[in-house]
Amino acid sequence: MYNCRKLLPDLYWVGANDRRLALFENLFPIPRGVSYNAYLLLDEKTVLLDTVDHAVSRVFLENVEHLLNGRGLDYVIVNHMEPDHCATLQALLARWPEAQVLCTAKAVQMIGQFFGPALAAKAQSVAEGQTLCTGRHTLRFITAPMVHWPEVMVTFDEGDGVLFSADAFGSFGALDGHLFADELDFAGRFLPDARRYYANIVGKYGAQVAALLKKAAGLDIRVICPLHGPIWRKNLDWLLEKYQRWSQWQPEEQAVLVAYASMYGNTAEAAETLAGLLAEAGVQKIAVYDVSAADVSELVGEAFRCSHLVLASPTYNGGVYPKMEELLAHLKAAGLQKRTVALLENGSWAPAAAKGMRAALEGMKEMALLENTVSIKSSLAEGQLPALKALADELAGTLAQ
Ligand code: FEO
């Protein structure tokens, strides 16, 4: 049974939710599911913008069939070739073989790689700025390489001001009936997932996101239709401001992320004590996580939000505890920069975690390490409380509140 929705007089959402997938990209937990958005424009020509993941192919194909209502499908625009958006392309073209596929030259190559030369032969490459008139609508193609793959483009409907933005402006989280961000509690319910999505999926490609934002600034955008998550038709400036920040690795908030690793609770105790001292020092926004309990993608998202990081780790095999090493590797992979960082280490006989964490941070850009590093031996001793308090005060002193 179809389940499609009208967005504008001749534009429809033909996507679907997946609430069964545990790991997006077989990597990122998505306890709230994910939506795969695809769009159908019913103009004098019929145009489908992207397809969906295999998991929701049935309802997607029924959506397209229902809305076409016997009409042919003239065009399929492929903005992004990652399989969560292109997996159904072959099945779609089997039903509507007359459809002309439009995408970048790089995407034509990828269609061949994923589906073979016969399907690639149906695709025609479009160039930057090229337009397609579909009757009442004119669609402009704008390349957006590495947001998040090299073949990506976005499509702009010049008349209605609709930007089909591919992975940009997307979010984890299935859509609970409402499709538009202004109909739901985006800041409360979706923002952490939108940030986690950005930081982990396209965080590394800040420069390319910034390039896309520059191109977008020259367009009269009134609606943003991403490939995942809610659609935007109000408060676009709020969303664009988030993307401006994230693309430049500017923190969203003056806040301290305390991420600790702890084998037996002693490093945890020191980190929790530090969090209390931060609160007493007047720090308003503090978020404490056990790196073994929280998924690393959540920590990367939080690191994009917070201006300050406290990393606390026991020494393990003469180096950094593996879960903390993993976090540092992910932060580096996401290109994190421009943060103030404090270190806390534990070591029962040869503390080495701080040295290892410092070395990892030195491989990132514009990370300001605080002078104070607290080193505890096995467990926090009362005599070390002044050192911990000095660290809390130093952190508080560097926060703009
Ligand atoms: Fe949702 Fe890069 O694909």
Side-chain angles (χ1 to χ4, degrees), residues 175-249:
L175 295 164
D176 300 336
H178 294 295
L179 299 182
F180 290 102
D182 57 275
E183 298 175 314
L184 42 87
D185 176 17
F186 188 89
R189 188 156 164 75
F190 270 90
L191 180 57
D193 262 343
R195 184 189 301 113
R196 187 165 68 95
Y197 171 88
Y198 176 87
N200 290 278
I201 305 291
V202 284
K204 176 182 174 70
Y205 307 110
Q208 290 84 353
V209 173
L212 176 59
L213 292 173
K214 205 169 167 187
K215 290 182 184 181
L219 305 173
D220 178 21
I221 300 171
R222 301 193 289 282
V223 180
I224 296 177
C225 289
L227 288 175
H228 301 288
I231 295 159
W232 290 78
R233 63 183 174 187
K234 293 183 183 171
N235 287 334
L236 300 192
D237 288 348
W238 183 89
L239 179 66
L240 289 164
E241 195 270 342
K242 292 284 181 213
Y243 261 69
Q244 288 287 1
R245 268 184 195 279
W246 294 339
S247 68
Q248 293 165 46
W249 293 275

Side-chain angles (χ1 to χ4, degrees), residues 27-348:
L27 192 60
F28 305 111
I30 44 169
R32 294 182 51 241
V34 68
S35 75
Y36 303 108
N37 300 338
Y39 304 92
L40 185 64
L41 182 67
L42 296 180
D43 197 355
E44 289 169 25
K45 299 288 185 186
T46 56
V47 185
L48 179 69
L49 293 114
D50 292 292
T51 73
V52 295
D53 189 80
H54 269 311
V56 294
S57 62
R58 187 171 142 186
V59 67
F60 162 74
L61 291 169
E62 289 186 17
N63 285 344
V64 175
E65 188 158 39
H66 168 71
L67 288 169
L68 286 175
N69 194 23
R71 293 181 68 185
L73 181 60
D74 294 305
Y75 296 103
V76 183
I77 293 172
V78 174
N79 284 312
H80 186 15
M81 271 301 293
E82 194 163 7
D84 54 334
H85 308 296
C86 80
T88 317
L89 187 61
Q90 196 161 34
L92 181 96
L93 292 174
R95 285 199 194 195
W96 291 281
E98 76 283 3
Q100 170 75 71
V101 178
L102 300 176
C103 56
T104 61
K106 193 80 185 165
V108 176
Q109 181 191 330
M110 287 188 182
I111 290 173
Q113 290 167 198
F114 278 109
F115 300 111
L119 218 67
K122 287 177 178 284
Q124 184 183 318
S125 67
V126 294
E128 170 81 24
Q130 191 175 325
T131 57
L132 171 72
C133 180
T134 62
R136 297 180 297 280
H137 296 258
T138 298
L139 303 177
R140 180 177 296 276
F141 306 114
I142 298 161
T143 56
M146 298 317 299
V147 186
H148 125 245
W149 280 15
E151 87 299 355
V152 171
M153 67 176 189
V154 299
T155 300
F156 184 59
D157 181 333
E158 296 188 329
D160 284 350
V162 181
L163 181 70
F164 298 94
S165 62
D167 270 350
F169 308 113
S171 176
F172 294 136
L175 295 164
D176 300 336
H178 294 295
L179 299 182
F180 290 102
D182 57 275
E183 298 175 314
L184 42 87
D185 176 17
F186 188 89
R189 188 156 164 75
F190 270 90
L191 180 57
D193 262 343
R195 184 189 301 113
R196 187 165 68 95
Y197 171 88
Y198 176 87
N200 290 278
I201 305 291
V202 284
K204 176 182 174 70
Y205 307 110
Q208 290 84 353
V209 173
L212 176 59
L213 292 173
K214 205 169 167 187
K215 290 182 184 181
L219 305 173
D220 178 21
I221 300 171
R222 301 193 289 282
V223 180
I224 296 177
C225 289
L227 288 175
H228 301 288
I231 295 159
W232 290 78
R233 63 183 174 187
K234 293 183 183 171
N235 287 334
L236 300 192
D237 288 348
W238 183 89
L239 179 66
L240 289 164
E241 195 270 342
K242 292 284 181 213
Y243 261 69
Q244 288 287 1
R245 268 184 195 279
W246 294 339
S247 68
Q248 293 165 46
W249 293 275
Q250 297 286 359
E252 265 172 272
E253 296 185 330
Q254 290 291 305
V256 182
L257 165 65
V258 180
Y260 70 78
S262 190
M263 296 159 69
Y264 298 105
N266 291 298
T267 312
E269 185 179 54
E272 297 282 5
T273 303
L274 178 63
L277 292 168
L278 285 167
E280 287 177 8
V283 178
Q284 290 167 9
K285 294 181 177 172
I286 308 162
V288 181
Y289 292 89
D290 178 341
V291 298
S292 297
D295 187 77
V296 69
S297 69
E298 184 178 6
L299 301 172
V300 172
E302 283 290 76
F304 269 65
R305 178 177 68 86
C306 297
S307 57
H308 289 59
L309 315 181
V310 174
L311 304 178
S313 174
T315 302
Y316 195 90
N317 283 338
V320 180
Y321 187 75
K323 281 287 185 180
M324 181 60 75
E325 269 189 333
E326 184 189 0
L327 171 60
L328 286 160
H330 280 255
L331 294 177
K332 186 172 183 192
L336 188 76
Q337 48 188 275
K338 301 172 186 161
R339 295 299 188 272
T340 301
V341 188
L343 300 177
L344 194 164
E345 69 172 357
N346 193 351
S348 289

